[in-house]
Amino acid sequence: MSEAQATEVESVYRELVKGVGREKVTEANAAQLIELAERDKHTVLAEELREWAMGCGGALTPGQGGDVTKG
C-alpha cells in the first residue's frame, strides 16, 4: 500500500470513529479499517466493518481483519 493510500485509509478511519464516513468504506479498504479498529480496541466498529465486508460477498478471508469465522 502506498503512503497516499495509507493516509486515505487513516482519514476514512478517523471519520468512522466519529460516526460518519460510512460511504467511504470499500472492499479495497475494509480489511485495513478493521485492523485499525481492532488495534484501537473499537470492537463494535470492527464488528460492523466485518459484517459489511461479509455482505459484499465475503471480501475478507480468515487472517484479514481478524477472524471472520467468529459469530
Side-chain angles (χ1 to χ4, degrees), residues 27 50-62 64 68:
E27 289 182 46
R50 275 193 291 277
E51 289 173 6
W52 180 91
M54 294 305 293
C56 289
L60 301 178
T61 58
Q64 285 185 305
V68 296

Side-chain angles (χ1 to χ4, degrees), residues 23-40:
E23 70 281 358
K24 297 179 182 177
V25 177
T26 66
E27 289 182 46
N29 66 15
Q32 292 90 359
L33 291 168
I34 291 167
E35 289 174 10
L36 290 171
E38 289 176 340
R39 175 196 73 190
D40 295 342

